[in-house]
């Protein structure tokens, strides 16, 4: 029997190219970061990790990224639902605007948000008199992360919603199910893997975000300093070991959290028999 012709090369060659590419782009740079951080020794490593300023910046980066991702899951689902299930004037424009954070330079987004929500900005001048401060606070950082993370949730959930057959909802309604039961028993379990994927993508983007956050954060030590800014500061001081050490800590925490999120996604996918796209 003649071997079936394939467009792509065999498994061995394909795997070799894949591993080589992955090593050059991901594995070797990450290994260099780990090696560089270990060059300062355990005492130097502990001195950096025990710094209150660095701990505060790590706490701020991860907490705001998680909060922003959770908010994006809720409102991203609503936005995707409207785009898939309803027709309204300007729908194409709204659909295109969802991708704006992808195309807009992050620094431009940060400047725009700061000009809007600063105490003298278009929106901030009305919030400041009632005691709501957005710019130069953790709230402003969260707002910036919401802005850059919303497309990940919408574009992850949208194709799943498009493939969701309305006949399932109609059959459940005909059998006497309430709207709440339809949402919780039929729609939500199917969307859960996609929602988890969208959350993971938005969270991962938010943890390492720099450009859109640096302007609206204000960079006040122990209050609005994010971890990427600490890395940049160490690099400007030519403290490469200190910068890579902070980067390694962020990498390890992110890896653990994303690993747990992937486990949750796999569990949700097994329950529904679907995978997120």
């Amino acid at each position: 029997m003649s071997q079936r012709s394939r467009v792509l090369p065999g498994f061995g060659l394909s795997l070799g190219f894949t591993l080589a590419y992955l090593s050059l782009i991901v594995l070797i740079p990450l290994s260099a970061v780990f090696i560089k951080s270990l060059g300062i020794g355990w005492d130097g490593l502990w001195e950096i990790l025990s710094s209150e300023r660095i701990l505060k910046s790590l706490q701020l980066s991860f907490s705001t990224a998680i909060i922003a991702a959770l908010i994006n899951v809720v409102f991203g689902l609503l936005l995707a639902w409207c785009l898939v299930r309803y027709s309204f004037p300007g729908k194409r424009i709204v659909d295109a605007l969802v991708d704006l954070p992808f195309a807009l330079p992050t620094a431009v987004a940060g400047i725009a948000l700061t000009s809007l929500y600063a105490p003298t900005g278009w929106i901030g001048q009305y919030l400041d008199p009632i005691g709501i401060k957005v710019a130069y606070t953790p709230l402003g950082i969260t707002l910036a992360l919401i802005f850059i993370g919303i497309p990940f949730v919408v574009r992850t959930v949208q194709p799943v919603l498009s493939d969701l057959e309305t006949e399932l909802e109609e059959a459940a309604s005909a059998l006497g199910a309430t709207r709440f039961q339809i949402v919780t028993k039929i729609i939500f379990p199917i969307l859960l893997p996609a929602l988890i994927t969208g959350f993971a993508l938005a969270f991962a983007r938010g943890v390492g975000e720099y450009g859109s956050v640096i302007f609206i954060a204000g960079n006040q030590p122990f209050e609005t300093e994010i971890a990427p800014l600490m890395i940049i500061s160490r690099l400007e001081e030519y403290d490469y070991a200190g910068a890579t050490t902070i980067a390694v800590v962020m990498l390890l925490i992110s890896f653990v959290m994303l690993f747990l999120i992937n486990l949750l996604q796999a569990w949700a996918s097994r329950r529904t028999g679907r995978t997120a796209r």
Side-chain angles (χ1 to χ4, degrees):
M1 182 182 295
S2 60
Q3 186 177 6
R4 183 188 301 176
S5 59
R6 293 183 175 89
V7 177
L8 296 177
F11 172 75
L13 185 59
S14 300
L15 182 61
F17 276 116
T18 301
L19 293 178
Y21 180 80
L22 185 64
S23 299
L24 290 174
I25 302 300
V26 179
L27 298 181
I28 294 178
L30 291 183
S31 300
V33 170
F34 277 93
I35 294 172
K36 188 69 177 180
S37 65
L38 293 176
I40 61 175
W42 293 108
D43 293 335
L45 189 65
W46 176 251
E47 181 180 355
I48 293 175
L49 297 181
S50 60
S51 170
E52 184 182 358
R53 188 174 178 181
I54 294 176
L55 292 176
K56 287 287 187 180
S57 66
L58 289 170
Q59 179 184 359
L60 179 65
S61 292
F62 282 95
S63 61
T64 52
I66 291 174
I67 293 172
L70 290 173
I71 294 174
N72 279 330
V73 165
V74 176
F75 291 97
L77 173 60
L78 294 176
L79 183 53
W81 183 275
C82 291
L83 291 174
V84 172
R85 291 298 180 93
Y86 302 108
S87 296
F88 51 90
K91 177 179 177 178
R92 292 183 180 274
I93 297 177
V94 174
D95 194 31
L97 288 176
V98 171
D99 294 325
L100 184 61
F102 285 149
L104 191 68
T106 54
V108 176
I111 294 173
L113 291 172
T114 304
S115 63
L116 285 175
Y117 290 98
T120 57
W122 291 354
I123 301 176
Q125 62 180 335
Y126 300 108
L127 298 177
D128 191 63
I130 60 177
I132 300 177
K133 298 184 181 298
V134 178
Y136 319 127
T137 65
L139 178 60
I141 298 174
T142 305
L143 182 65
L145 298 183
I146 291 173
F147 175 79
I148 58 100
I150 190 69
F152 292 98
V153 178
V154 175
R155 294 311 184 205
T156 304
V157 175
Q158 207 170 359
V160 180
L161 271 176
S162 299
D163 292 340
L164 184 60
E165 300 175 354
T166 56
E167 288 79 2
L168 294 175
E169 303 168 41
E170 294 172 357
S173 179
L175 292 173
T178 63
R179 290 185 178 182
F180 180 77
Q181 289 174 327
I182 293 174
V183 171
T184 56
K185 301 297 184 180
I186 297 178
I187 298 177
F188 184 75
I190 294 176
L191 295 180
L192 184 58
L195 289 172
I196 296 174
T197 301
F199 171 83
L201 293 174
F203 166 75
R205 172 68 187 274
V207 167
E209 180 60 23
Y210 179 80
S212 63
V213 174
I214 195 67
F215 295 101
I216 198 171
N219 311 320
Q220 304 173 36
F222 303 100
E223 293 184 13
T224 59
E225 264 187 337
I226 57 174
L229 176 62
M230 298 299 298
I231 295 175
I232 296 297
S233 299
R234 292 299 177 99
L235 290 176
E236 291 176 347
E237 297 169 358
Y238 301 101
D239 183 8
Y240 300 117
T244 53
T245 300
I246 302 173
V248 166
V249 174
M250 293 188 67
L251 179 64
L252 291 176
I253 297 175
S254 300
F255 177 80
V256 171
M257 295 192 68
L258 291 175
F259 178 74
L260 296 176
I261 291 171
N262 285 333
L263 290 179
L264 181 61
Q265 180 190 4
W267 171 79
S269 299
R270 287 195 299 269
R271 285 194 61 188
T272 60
R274 291 172 176 249
T275 57
R277 299 184 180 185

